[in-house]
Amino acid sequence: MTPQAFTFKLTVPGDPEGATVVAVVATHAVEYSGMDAAKGAAFVERARATAAQAIKGAGGTQCQAVFAAANGQLTITIGGQTVSEALA
C-alpha cells in the first residue's frame, strides 16, 4: 500500500448519514494520496453527493464503498456509482 496505490472497502449504513461517513473517509483518502487541497475538497463533495444518491437508491439497505488509488486516479465506487479524480 502506497499513497498512489491502495484499495479499501467500507460498509456504509443505509441512512442519509452514510454519505457523511463516505465524505469523511474520502477526505482521509485525498490527504493520504497527496491530492491538491482545492481539487481534493471538490472531490470529497462529489463523493458525498454520489454516496447520497447511491444510499437513497439502496432503499435503506447498507452499501459497500470501495476507495481505490491506481493508475494516477483516486476512485470511489458505491452502489454502482463511481466518482474519480486524477491524483496529480
Side-chain angles (χ1 to χ4, degrees):
M1 186 167 118
T2 69
Q4 288 75 37
F6 62 84
T7 300
F8 59 93
K9 299 174 184 177
L10 175 70
T11 301
V12 181
D15 63 59
E17 286 301 312
T20 300
V21 172
V22 169
V24 168
V25 177
T27 299
H28 289 293
V30 162
E31 291 171 355
Y32 180 65
S33 71
M35 187 183 294
D36 172 75
K39 186 166 63 168
F43 176 76
V44 168
E45 286 309 310
R46 289 195 337 265
R48 180 191 311 269
T50 300
Q53 289 176 336
I55 291 166
K56 185 176 180 181
T61 61
Q62 60 191 12
C63 297
Q64 184 178 61
V66 179
F67 299 75
N71 302 317
Q73 296 282 321
L74 178 58
T75 303
I76 301 171
T77 302
I78 181 169
Q81 298 186 44
T82 300
V83 61
S84 186
E85 183 66 54
L87 293 174

